[in-house]
Amino acid sequence: MPAPLLWLGASAIAILAGAKYSNDKRLEESVNGLPGDSVIEVEPVNGAIVTCGVYGVFEHTGIWVDGNILELKGNGLIRGVSPNRFLQERSGDYIYIACDNNNTPLIQADAADRAISRLFSYSEYDVIKNNCHKFVWHCISGEDIPLTRFSELNQKIAERFATSIHWHPVIY
């Protein structure tokens, strides 16, 4: 019987960690178009930053590589999945890509290579200290800093690329 209590506790922590982005000032400052705001579809390229919704509360992020998305899964496995698998067991129906003001995907030259180099390795997953946003930021920057929330990742991306972010639906 301790397992259900453990899941309940983990769920409570996750809910606290993933407060709605509409209430987060840092997200407002770095994002000009939230996921779902735009209908302009963009074709992804290697190294692109992608996201999807999780139960209307969280966002899950990854790096686009050769038609797949490299992600840090909740069990700690860094893996590549198809776009359909990326959305499976999540509430989001769409994958969104981070773009600049001209609807061009934000790409860091070596993000795809960093993601590929970590493929099939394990990283002890922690919803607060070591999650998908931290993995994505490491792929973009090479830095290994904790990023708990989607808003924090957006702020770092906006600073890195010196632009506000527009999240557009992905064509795949």
Side-chain angles (χ1 to χ4, degrees):
M1 218 177 327
L5 292 175
L6 180 63
W7 283 107
L8 183 60
S11 297
I13 290 170
I15 288 170
L16 290 172
K20 283 296 258 179
Y21 48 24
S22 60
N23 297 328
D24 195 325
K25 186 69 174 163
R26 288 177 292 190
L27 188 58
E28 291 174 11
E29 295 169 354
S30 57
V31 175
N32 219 0
L34 293 168
D37 285 353
S38 175
V39 295
I40 299 169
E41 294 182 327
V42 174
E43 190 168 340
V45 294
N46 285 347
I49 306 154
V50 296
T51 190
C52 71
V54 181
Y55 306 117
V57 179
F58 307 104
E59 294 75 27
H60 179 57
T61 53
I63 300 290
W64 187 275
V65 177
D66 293 332
N68 291 295
I69 300 166
L70 278 55
E71 66 174 3
L72 172 59
K73 187 178 178 193
N75 67 0
L77 175 65
I78 297 170
R79 66 181 187 165
V81 295
S82 71
N84 289 334
R85 179 66 185 100
F86 188 71
L87 291 172
Q88 191 176 355
E89 298 174 10
R90 298 186 175 110
S91 62
D93 293 328
Y94 300 99
I95 298 170
Y96 298 92
I97 186 168
C99 296
D100 64 14
N101 294 325
N102 298 316
N103 307 326
T104 303
L106 298 173
I107 307 295
Q108 180 65 43
D110 47 2
D113 291 337
R114 279 195 190 102
I116 291 168
S117 75
R118 298 196 52 203
L119 198 56
F120 304 118
S121 65
Y122 280 88
S123 180
E124 189 172 330
Y125 184 86
D126 182 286
V127 72
I128 305 293
K129 298 177 186 171
N130 191 33
N131 57 29
C132 61
H133 307 317
K134 179 181 177 181
F135 168 72
V136 166
W137 181 247
H138 174 78
C139 293
I140 295 166
S141 69
E143 297 175 350
D144 205 18
I145 61 171
L147 293 175
T148 302
R149 296 169 54 184
F150 184 61
S151 60
E152 293 171 314
L153 176 61
N154 276 279
Q155 182 180 17
K156 296 299 255 177
I157 293 169
E159 290 169 4
R160 178 99 179 172
F161 292 97
T163 187
S164 61
I165 303 167
H166 299 261
W167 288 97
H168 292 286
V170 168
I171 300 170
Y172 63 92

